[in-house]
Amino acid sequence: MMKHLLGLLFVSVFIITSALVSSPAMAAIEVHNFKSPENEARYQHLIDELRCLVCQNQNIADSNAGLAYDLRQKVYEMIQAGKSDTEILNYMVERYGDFVLYRPPVKGYTLLLWFGPFILLFGAVVLLIRFARQRKDLEVFDEAELQDIRTLLKQTSGDPK
Amino acid sequence: MIVELGHLALIIALCIAICQATLPLAGSQYGIRSWIALARPLARLQLLFILISFASLIYAFLVHDFSVRYVASNSNTALPVLYLISGVWGAHEGSLLLWALILAVWTAAVTVFSRSIPNNMVARVIAVMGMISTGFLLFMLFTSNPFERLQFPPLEGRELNPLLQDPGLAIHPPMLYMGYVGFSVAFAFAIAAMLNGSLDSAWARWSRPWTIAAWVFLTVGIVMGSGWAYYELGWGGWWFWDPVENASLMPWLVGTALMHSLVVTDKRGAFKAWTVLLAIAAFSLSLLGTFLVRSGVLTSVHAFATDPARGVFILGFLIVIIGGSLLLYAWRASTVKSSVRFEPVSRDTGLLLNNVLLIVLAASILLGTLYPILIDALGLGKVSVGPPYFNSIFIPLAIPLAWAVGVGPFLRWRKDSGQRLAKILIVPLVGSVVIGTLATLLVPPYFTWGALLGLITASWVLCSLLVLVIRQMSIRHLLSRFGRSQLGMLVAHAGIAVFAIGICLTSIYSSQKDIQLALDESYDLDGYLFTFKGAERFSGPNFNGFRGVIEVTEDGKMVAELHPEKRFYQTGMPMTEAGIDGGITRDLYVALGEETVGRRAWVLRIYHEPFVRWVWAGGMMMAFGGLLAVFDARYRRRRLAAAAVSATPIGVPA
Amino acid sequence: MKMRFLWPLTLFALLAGLLGIGLTLDPKKVDSPLINKNAPAFDLGQLNDSTLHISPDNLKGQVWMLHVWASWCSVCLGEHPLINRLSTMQGLTLVGLNYKDDRLAALSWLNKLGNPYQAVAFDPEGKAGLDWGVYGVPESYLIDKHGVIRYKEVGPINDTVLKETLLPLIAQLQAETL
């Protein structure tokens, strides 16, 4: 356990000192000239979807780390070269793995992630309906009804209560 | 010397907390009156000592005592006074002390505002809160001591992270903590009720104002965090679904469900066990957030210096508190008899649906947040779950919730008829389709189906609220001391509509452009002409940088003059202060990039964000609605009478 | 005790277990998708002589390690003695990839600390690094005789990794026939 923790510490130090420090405070702003506004929109969309691997959970659009800059340049170049969104994303995944995508791909191991919420919703609603139906048939009186009964009793028996 | 006093005060507070956690509890269990009576004084005494401790840490910051490691790591002599104080909670150890302080404050509040609650119940509540205090104080004293001294004190301290040098960010953590910790009151009430043996509905009535108050603080904290991110981080965004952001949203969602479920338990005596579970869940999620921020299991921009060794301690604490309470739940809840009857179409069912939607939403966010850990733990590699996922999940779940909000307040308790409702609701339904469609055609610059759906949904909420007020409410009652609950509900629900409009329009219709402009050059973004008027050097107390001037005109008329800044602090880390012109219908936003060498031009990022302020306005309306509800006079008067009536369970076991 | 009331506790136990395991993991260490794939091609000038080129093709038939480093990387400083030791090993060709660095700074760094590399590829813009999925410095790749990447170490190699993982793997790769 200690070994692992020390190892963790080592790696964290490496990440912090070796990579160019990313400041979340300065959005990386650079000018690119695109052949069309659609291309520019595609660029903005793609750099929002790609993760900066050396940052503390940022996409490459918001980070000014060196790696983020390189990846943005690559995306720009590929758009200019006429590559499609899929080709660009695949290019990144080939080199960095699925981790680089902020939208997890729908593969075997992410089925639970993508469908879980809806399965949960469906299941919960089914339970809700069953529960509500069950409650209809409870053979009890609730407070309001009991109050009515008490009032009736008071009126008929004349007992102060 | 003062620092050592602070340290000592913390140790004394721990001893008091241990007494507070044990004696009143035993007293309640065995009927020892003198021990029960100890609860209130012990809680107040604990507050005193934690205050002393906190004050001494502030003192250490103010006098620049760099022999204290925490002070040296988070402040230096050039730091303005405001940030010397807010730096106290700017990092791990100090923020824990703030947690402990706020917990002590809430406990002391319980000692004051609990006159009408039986003493043995109050004793149990305070004891449970004492247990939580004990955990945090132990954690601090053993692993994260803010008063630790350095053997070789430096002459100058480190710079406080420039991101934290902002008034908004100074107040955001205290607000959030007030919320997180506030849910411990409802939690403590639930535990106390279970220990009491009779899971009746009285505890629900007592918890309601406390729960709503905590929820109000959490709402404000989240809104402030979002607003701060928007103007400070320079990318025009206001929510990133970062794990720590999610860690604040999850207890908020469950807390909302809890607030609504408490209504049913209070008024109808139903869902007793379910509401207890929600109270446990809300506070558990607060604690989970503490774990996520400090243990390093997830990568986050918000994370404090992460340390898995500390994570182990917090996890142990979680297991004791949450595991213990769920064990108690499994034991006690099974003895509760279902005794309340209601039909499928009723307010009871409606509120249950509210709970279902909110819980599924919270669970989905939890799934997405923890999924990377799950996949890694199973050895399947690394995966990232980011905004694209969460946005895809959030919208399909939030829209039905918004539609339910319109129907809910009309429902009658126990039994209602679909026909009756349909007749009432047809008016706001038609109204919302008409208004929503008109709004979609007139307000945004171009039509999208997303905007249509969003605006019709928001109109639906508002129209149904309007019909509700006209049909069923008296304005005089709403404005009286006893109508605040209802008024609060109206304001909060209207806030949902405002929030929805903001989210819908800003996410669909925002534009941005990165452009290089020389002096007097302009760029037109959505009809607004941004003209660069130069940038000059300037400096502040602990930084220097550039300030730019950008004039914005629309159709030739001057709209705003923006002053974006780029600051370099001592650490060399550059920071942007965006130049923002905020408006009711839109924000105009400029951030400085780089100066182009050779050419006196700057690269700028320009944004046009329509209706973005409605996002936070909606959130603040929700908070304000909650605040109104807390101060409903019914809570004060009815408590005495109600306590007598509902103390005994009613009904024949099913 | 009715069973259904134990569900929350059970779910929590699973959650706590997951978080406990999570504490032993490192969320920032990303596995490389290039393991067991062909080493990406590059054709770069060498650090000490830009007219000389180097590419993975030159190294077919050998077991070799690509070590990504830079003179601005302080952690590389600590790792360097170990890399120097590695260079004395028989049967392992050590190739450096100087990543996003300044040629003169890199050369003087090697002068001062010793040059363990058979050759150093100079990648000032990080373009080759991008193809190899480099995201930080230092990183090390182990490539077999067929030109397939068999292992990647992110971060500095420490003695434990060297002894328990790298050395056995190198021996295994050396024993493989072409």
Side-chain angles (χ1 to χ4, degrees):
Chain A
M1 173 78 164
M2 245 347 249
K3 226 172 31 179
H4 284 131
L5 293 176
L6 279 175
L8 274 166
L9 188 62
F10 216 27
V11 175
S12 344
V13 170
F14 139 70
I15 300 263
I16 293 166
T17 56
S18 65
L20 294 175
V21 175
S22 82
S23 156
M26 192 164 93
I29 307 174
E30 65 244 349
V31 184
H32 291 292
N33 293 311
F34 292 93
K35 295 179 187 160
S36 71
E38 287 81 35
N39 276 357
E40 182 163 12
R42 279 177 58 208
Y43 173 77
Q44 292 296 344
H45 172 73
L46 284 170
I47 63 176
D48 274 341
E49 296 256 332
L50 290 168
R51 181 169 190 163
C52 164
L53 288 100
V54 296
C55 310
Q56 299 281 97
N57 197 32
Q58 281 180 292
N59 53 29
I60 60 174
D62 302 337
S63 160
N64 65 350
L67 181 69
Y69 175 80
D70 292 342
L71 293 178
R72 284 196 303 271
Q73 281 300 113
K74 194 74 198 173
V75 172
Y76 172 66
E77 283 164 23
M78 290 182 83
I79 290 185
Q80 293 293 89
K83 302 271 187 235
S84 72
D85 285 0
T86 322
E87 285 174 305
I88 296 175
L89 291 175
N90 282 341
Y91 178 91
M92 295 297 172
V93 171
E94 272 168 34
R95 284 149 184 78
Y96 295 102
D98 287 340
F99 184 75
V100 78
L101 298 174
Y102 263 131
R103 182 188 303 267
V106 184
K107 283 187 190 165
Y109 70 97
T110 57
L111 286 178
L112 175 62
L113 180 68
W114 281 105
F115 295 105
F118 302 105
I119 296 172
L120 192 59
L121 180 64
F122 181 72
V125 170
V126 164
L127 282 173
L128 172 67
I129 295 175
R130 271 180 42 190
F131 180 75
R133 288 222 186 105
Q134 185 196 67
R135 277 310 179 93
K136 188 167 77 155
D137 303 322
L138 271 185
E139 293 287 311
V140 294
F141 297 116
D142 63 27
E143 262 191 71
E145 289 165 324
L146 276 166
Q147 199 63 9
D148 294 337
I149 294 173
R150 280 198 206 100
T151 321
L152 273 171
L153 282 170
K154 249 192 283 180
Q155 288 172 349
T156 51
S157 68
D159 250 328
K161 228 283 169 132
Chain B
M1 189 53 215
I2 304 267
V3 169
E4 268 64 38
L5 260 173
H7 192 182
L8 185 63
L10 210 56
I11 297 174
I12 296 176
L14 172 63
C15 299
I16 297 173
I18 294 175
C19 296
Q20 181 190 324
T22 50
L23 295 174
L25 198 62
S28 281
Q29 198 65 17
Y30 302 111
I32 308 171
R33 288 257 284 270
S34 54
W35 285 12
I36 293 177
L38 278 175
R40 287 190 169 93
L42 281 175
R44 292 171 187 169
L45 206 57
Q46 200 206 139
L47 175 62
L48 175 66
F49 280 97
I50 297 192
L51 265 172
I52 293 174
S53 192
F54 198 77
S56 70
L57 190 60
I58 296 182
Y59 175 80
F61 268 83
L62 288 174
V63 301
H64 304 301
D65 185 352
F66 297 131
S67 64
V68 179
R69 187 166 59 82
Y70 186 70
V71 178
S73 311
N74 294 288
S75 69
N76 58 28
T77 50
L79 203 59
V81 171
L82 176 63
Y83 306 128
L84 282 173
I85 298 176
S86 71
V88 171
W89 53 82
H92 171 69
E93 293 87 345
S95 68
L96 281 178
L97 190 54
L98 182 67
W99 235 96
L101 175 65
I102 291 179
L103 183 56
V105 167
W106 277 101
T107 319
V110 170
T111 66
V112 173
F113 297 106
S114 55
R115 294 285 159 232
S116 55
I117 304 177
N119 278 335
N120 65 339
M121 183 72 171
V122 178
R124 285 198 166 107
V125 171
I126 292 177
V128 172
M129 295 180 82
M131 288 182 206
I132 304 169
S133 276
T134 307
F136 272 88
L137 289 167
L138 277 172
F139 182 46
M140 257 193 290
L141 285 166
F142 280 95
T143 74
S144 321
N145 192 344
F147 299 107
E148 202 180 301
R149 293 274 197 194
L150 286 171
Q151 219 186 3
F152 303 108
L155 282 167
E156 178 65 279
R158 276 225 315 254
E159 177 77 79
L160 177 68
N161 187 339
L163 277 176
L164 303 180
Q165 294 182 37
D166 177 272
L169 203 61
I171 193 87
H172 155 71
M175 284 289 120
L176 275 182
Y177 287 12
M178 285 292 284
Y180 289 144
V181 178
F183 282 133
S184 70
V185 179
F187 173 79
F189 267 101
I191 302 289
M194 284 196 286
L195 289 172
N196 209 24
S198 61
L199 253 185
D200 55 32
S201 57
W203 80 272
R205 180 164 310 119
W206 297 325
S207 313
R208 276 180 76 184
W210 295 102
T211 310
I212 303 174
W215 181 90
V216 169
F217 279 109
L218 190 57
T219 311
V220 172
I222 295 176
V223 168
M224 291 191 80
S226 168
W228 172 85
Y230 172 77
Y231 77 76
E232 191 63 35
L233 295 184
W235 43 273
W238 43 269
W239 190 259
F240 193 67
W241 296 105
D242 179 82
V244 174
E245 291 175 10
N246 295 349
S248 69
L249 188 58
M250 288 186 285
W252 186 88
L253 289 166
V254 175
T256 310
L258 176 62
M259 277 196 309
H260 289 82
S261 191
L262 279 170
V263 174
V264 189
T265 308
D266 179 12
K267 291 226 164 92
R268 301 267 293 143
F271 309 161
K272 295 187 206 117
W274 171 246
T275 310
V276 162
L277 190 59
L278 282 181
I280 296 175
F283 184 57
S284 303
L285 286 167
S286 298
L287 289 179
L288 182 68
T290 311
F291 174 80
L292 290 176
V293 186
R294 298 162 201 271
S295 63
V297 294
L298 288 168
T299 333
S300 161
V301 287
H302 290 84
F304 288 117
T306 57
D307 183 354
R310 285 176 177 157
V312 174
F313 191 108
I314 305 179
L315 186 60
F317 182 56
L318 252 66
I319 291 174
V320 168
I321 296 282
I322 305 177
S325 52
L326 288 176
L327 199 59
L328 186 61
Y329 169 81
W331 176 33
R332 290 296 200 188
S334 53
T335 63
V336 172
K337 318 266 182 275
S338 332
S339 57
V340 179
R341 190 182 62 191
F342 55 87
E343 304 278 314
V345 179
S346 64
R347 184 177 284 196
D348 314 60
T349 312
L351 284 170
L352 209 48
L353 178 67
N354 155 297
N355 276 196
V356 161
L357 289 168
L358 285 166
I359 299 302
V360 170
L361 193 50
S364 306
I365 296 175
L366 186 64
L367 178 67
T369 307
L370 297 181
Y371 209 73
I373 307 178
L374 178 65
I375 295 301
D376 200 5
L378 292 173
L380 295 170
K382 295 277 201 292
V383 71
S384 298
V385 182
Y389 170 78
F390 289 107
N391 287 329
S392 312
I393 297 296
F394 179 79
I395 296 172
L397 289 170
I399 302 236
L401 190 61
W403 282 87
V405 166
V407 179
F410 286 100
L411 285 166
R412 288 194 180 136
W413 287 111
R414 189 165 57 86
K415 183 170 160 169
D416 204 337
S417 115
Q419 274 184 332
R420 183 192 82 95
L421 280 172
K423 270 196 280 200
I424 302 175
L425 292 175
I426 191 75
V427 171
L429 184 62
V430 170
S432 60
V433 172
V434 169
I435 296 176
T437 313
L438 274 175
T440 314
L441 295 170
L442 294 174
V443 175
Y446 54 90
F447 177 87
T448 57
W449 290 104
L452 184 68
L453 179 60
L455 290 177
I456 290 182
T457 305
S459 310
W460 159 252
V461 174
L462 291 172
C463 289
S464 50
L465 281 175
L466 193 62
V467 168
L468 183 72
V469 173
I470 294 172
R471 275 186 70 102
Q472 301 184 189
M473 295 189 176
S474 105
I475 303 289
R476 181 141 28 103
H477 174 75
L478 282 177
L479 295 176
S480 77
R481 273 160 50 218
F482 298 97
R484 287 192 193 135
S485 230
Q486 293 225 297
L487 184 61
M489 181 267 282
L490 292 172
V491 173
H493 285 191
I496 296 177
V498 171
F499 177 74
I501 294 172
I503 290 193
C504 172
L505 292 177
T506 204
S507 26
I508 300 177
Y509 297 103
S510 286
S511 332
Q512 80 168 63
K513 179 80 181 168
D514 289 355
I515 188 100
Q516 180 184 78
L517 293 177
L519 195 62
D520 290 326
E521 271 188 340
S522 313
Y523 183 78
D524 180 304
L525 186 71
D526 294 347
Y528 292 96
L529 194 70
F530 290 77
T531 310
F532 181 56
K533 288 302 207 185
E536 283 161 10
R537 289 187 175 280
F538 84 115
S539 56
N542 53 347
F543 62 87
N544 57 44
F546 295 92
R547 174 185 279 139
V549 180
I550 284 97
E551 283 179 3
V552 186
T553 59
E554 188 185 11
D555 299 327
K557 280 191 315 232
M558 181 71 152
V559 166
E561 193 179 88
L562 302 174
H563 300 277
E565 294 173 15
K566 190 165 153 177
R567 298 182 180 181
F568 297 94
Y569 285 81
Q570 284 183 6
T571 54
M573 206 158 84
M575 286 262 314
T576 45
E577 297 284 328
I580 305 179
D581 178 49
I584 297 178
T585 58
R586 90 291 178 278
D587 268 29
L588 299 168
Y589 187 120
V590 181
L592 278 182
E594 301 284 335
E595 188 175 20
T596 317
V597 180
R599 255 191 103 194
R600 301 255 310 130
W602 275 79
V603 172
L604 304 169
R605 176 169 289 176
I606 301 169
Y607 290 95
H608 169 232
E609 306 244 8
F611 291 90
V612 70
R613 310 236 149 197
W614 288 52
V615 172
W616 307 307
M620 292 307 282
M621 281 175 74
M622 291 190 234
F624 184 60
L627 194 62
L628 285 170
V630 172
F631 288 106
D632 189 302
R634 289 183 308 169
Y635 289 125
R636 264 150 251 182
R637 209 175 62 173
R638 269 223 293 159
R639 269 190 261 188
L640 279 163
V645 170
S646 69
T648 48
I650 296 165
V652 177
Chain C
M1 199 187 302
K2 284 193 211 134
M3 274 304 126
R4 64 187 164 105
F5 291 101
L6 275 172
W7 270 112
L9 185 62
T10 317
L11 284 172
F12 174 67
L14 290 170
L15 179 67
L18 177 65
L19 294 176
I21 299 176
L23 284 172
T24 64
L25 303 167
D26 180 7
K28 298 221 57 177
K29 223 171 187 179
V30 186
D31 300 325
S32 172
L34 294 172
I35 304 288
N36 294 326
K37 299 237 172 57
N38 285 323
F42 60 78
D43 185 12
L44 294 171
Q46 292 195 27
L47 184 69
N48 50 2
D49 185 348
S50 52
T51 59
L52 287 174
H53 277 227
I54 178 152
S55 120
D57 286 335
N58 302 140
L59 295 150
K60 277 260 167 69
Q62 303 174 44
V63 175
W64 60 288
M65 174 185 278
L66 185 75
H67 184 243
V68 186
W69 64 278
S71 64
W72 45 259
C73 159
S74 49
V75 180
C76 302
L77 213 61
E79 194 199 24
H80 206 70
L82 191 144
I83 305 293
N84 279 336
R85 278 187 355 241
L86 259 182
S87 70
T88 61
M89 244 191 83
Q90 296 287 44
L92 177 71
T93 312
L94 211 52
V95 176
L97 182 74
N98 183 238
Y99 181 74
K100 302 187 85 172
D101 208 348
D102 171 74
R103 194 188 290 269
L104 291 172
L107 284 168
S108 81
W109 201 82
L110 287 179
N111 256 337
K112 221 168 33 171
L113 300 164
N115 184 353
Y117 307 108
Q118 231 96 321
V120 180
F122 184 51
D123 187 14
E125 288 173 19
K127 292 226 182 321
L130 198 71
D131 278 335
W132 282 65
V134 171
Y135 65 90
V137 192
E139 287 182 4
S140 313
Y141 297 79
L142 210 51
I143 300 105
D144 69 14
K145 295 178 182 172
H146 305 270
V148 173
I149 298 179
R150 301 292 287 267
Y151 182 78
K152 175 180 179 182
E153 179 73 20
V154 172
I157 302 172
N158 59 37
D159 285 312
T160 324
V161 169
L162 182 67
K163 212 166 44 168
E164 292 178 11
T165 316
L166 275 180
L167 291 176
L169 184 58
I170 293 172
Q172 182 194 330
L173 296 179
Q174 282 167 340
E176 282 176 1
T177 52
L178 210 53

